[in-house]
Amino acid sequence: MRDKIIEVILDSGTDFVSGEELSKKLGISRTAIWKHINILREEGYDIESVNRKGYRLIGSPKDLLNPQNIYHNLKTEFIGKNVIHLESVDSTNDYLKKVGDDVQEGTVVISEEQTKGKGRLGRNWQSKSKEGIWMSIILKPEIIPYKAPFITLIAGAAIVKALNNLQVSANIKWPNDIIINNKKVSGILTELSAEIERINYVVVGIGMNVKNLDFDKELEEKATSLYKEDYHLSRVEIVSQVLYEFEKLYNDYIKNDYKEETLKICKEYSAILNKDVYIIKGDEKELVKCIDISDDGNLIVRAGNNNVQEILSGEVSIRGVKGY
Ligand code: BTX
């Protein structure tokens, strides 16, 4: 019910909505409305009430990633239509993997904090409370499992597109990092539950540093946040942009097997194409030049001996020659 009250109040913008109007629209008494309004106030909504005029929202916890805020203005068909908002969780990816079969496709889990945020290859992802966006999306595509890794590229393209829509100059470090000024601002972890021929579900985890003003010592050199780069954006706005851009590219891929737009964005905003990088696999490190991204989303590189190789996303880490 409180979601609906906020929806009506948000829709009326700077105008007042009377208690009577709310009570008629929602089919509950004016006293009940008043009780809900009081709880909303406790949750941080700044709701003005004026005799004979009604209620008006003057300040919402706009940056709280709660479902009401996210549903408002979300322009997607199915991604983010069901949002689960948590205060704290071990990992939003692990949360979705536990409930995977029971939730609808497009369900998004967002937590204000992760106590065991995960990166790739068993690495750790620092996810402090309210500092960033720590979210996962569950997908149930009818494609063969080997086509799933491309979804990481779709997520990367969606994030970089969303950030650039918001005037943030960000690039993709293939396959799963988004960087600003040579430092990592966002990362993607895609996990798969599948049988040989079919996918049960894919969980796409997205971490983005938004408000962090400092990082632990070991991350200082390689991590940044939007605030640190002087982009003061609302987390809610970023989430709705990312989900919107993601859904478009995802639908293209799943419904029409159309990958060109994702590949175009990945190339246009690439931080490594035409550059020398180190490819790191276990203890081995090789200096190569990145020359292209293949139609399947693999990185094409030229090694020192002039051999051209195609690198699959799951197996390596990439380091720039300078910086991150
Ligand atoms: P990755 O393996 O490419 O990056 C992990 C590495 O990045 C770490 O080893 C560390 O050096 C560095 N790092 C750790 N935390 C941060 C941070 N906050 N900002 C920048 N660099 C950092 C990238 O993996 C994939 C990350 C996905 C995170 C999301 S959050 C929601 C979902 N749930 C979950 O547990 N993981 C995903």
Side-chain angles (χ1 to χ4, degrees), residues 90-94 109 114 116-128 133-136 176-177 183-191 203-209 212 215 218-219 222-224 317 319 324:
D90 47 1
S91 147
T92 53
N93 268 33
D94 288 347
V109 173
Q114 293 186 116
K116 279 193 189 144
K118 303 187 299 183
R120 290 195 310 152
L121 310 168
R123 292 189 287 242
N124 165 57
W125 182 261
Q126 200 183 93
S127 325
K128 291 192 181 161
I133 296 166
W134 327 122
M135 74 172 176
S136 304
N176 73 317
D177 290 338
K183 291 183 172 179
K184 177 147 57 168
V185 69
S186 174
I188 302 154
L189 173 66
T190 305
E191 295 186 270
V203 171
V204 179
I206 296 175
M208 189 184 296
N209 305 318
N212 321 53
F215 288 92
E218 76 274 12
L219 290 184
K222 48 185 172 183
T224 192
S317 293
R319 289 279 166 271
Y324 177 71

Side-chain angles (χ1 to χ4, degrees), residues 50-240:
V50 172
N51 248 346
R52 276 193 275 274
K53 283 189 171 172
Y55 302 103
R56 179 170 68 160
L57 192 65
I58 37 182
S60 62
K62 275 201 202 110
D63 218 27
L64 257 194
L65 293 168
N66 57 21
Q68 299 93 317
N69 283 347
I70 291 176
Y71 299 152
H72 194 73
N73 289 334
L74 185 67
K75 293 186 191 68
T76 57
E77 286 162 18
F78 69 100
I79 305 252
K81 289 293 171 183
N82 179 32
V83 171
I84 301 169
H85 177 231
L86 309 167
E87 270 310 307
S88 181
V89 72
D90 47 1
S91 147
T92 53
N93 268 33
D94 288 347
Y95 181 100
L96 267 182
K97 279 157 63 186
K98 278 182 213 134
V99 296
D101 292 328
D102 305 325
V103 287
Q104 71 197 56
E105 181 173 37
T107 295
V108 170
V109 173
I110 306 192
S111 185
E112 295 294 341
E113 171 193 58
Q114 293 186 116
T115 52
K116 279 193 189 144
K118 303 187 299 183
R120 290 195 310 152
L121 310 168
R123 292 189 287 242
N124 165 57
W125 182 261
Q126 200 183 93
S127 325
K128 291 192 181 161
S129 182
K130 301 208 168 60
E131 299 274 38
I133 296 166
W134 327 122
M135 74 172 176
S136 304
I137 310 168
I138 193 158
L139 304 163
K140 305 190 173 179
E142 285 178 14
I143 53 172
I144 20 187
Y146 87 85
K147 295 185 93 182
F150 194 80
I151 296 175
T152 302
L153 270 76
I154 293 179
I159 296 170
V160 91
K161 193 76 204 300
L163 288 175
N164 279 277
N165 289 347
L166 296 165
Q167 270 73 53
V168 177
S169 167
N171 294 94
I172 307 176
K173 202 179 98 197
W174 182 95
N176 73 317
D177 290 338
I178 307 299
I179 61 169
I180 300 180
N181 283 334
N182 241 342
K183 291 183 172 179
K184 177 147 57 168
V185 69
S186 174
I188 302 154
L189 173 66
T190 305
E191 295 186 270
L192 181 67
S193 158
E195 288 151 35
I196 290 173
E197 292 289 328
R198 73 178 262 276
I199 290 178
N200 300 321
Y201 53 79
V202 178
V203 171
V204 179
I206 296 175
M208 189 184 296
N209 305 318
V210 181
K211 298 184 173 180
N212 321 53
L213 294 178
D214 44 42
F215 288 92
D216 292 355
K217 196 129 201 75
E218 76 274 12
L219 290 184
E220 238 169 49
E221 295 287 299
K222 48 185 172 183
T224 192
S225 72
L226 293 176
Y227 269 48
K228 275 192 96 171
E229 302 295 329
D230 276 336
Y231 297 109
H232 288 227
L233 295 171
S234 125
R235 293 184 304 166
V236 174
E237 179 66 33
I238 299 167
V239 168
S240 79

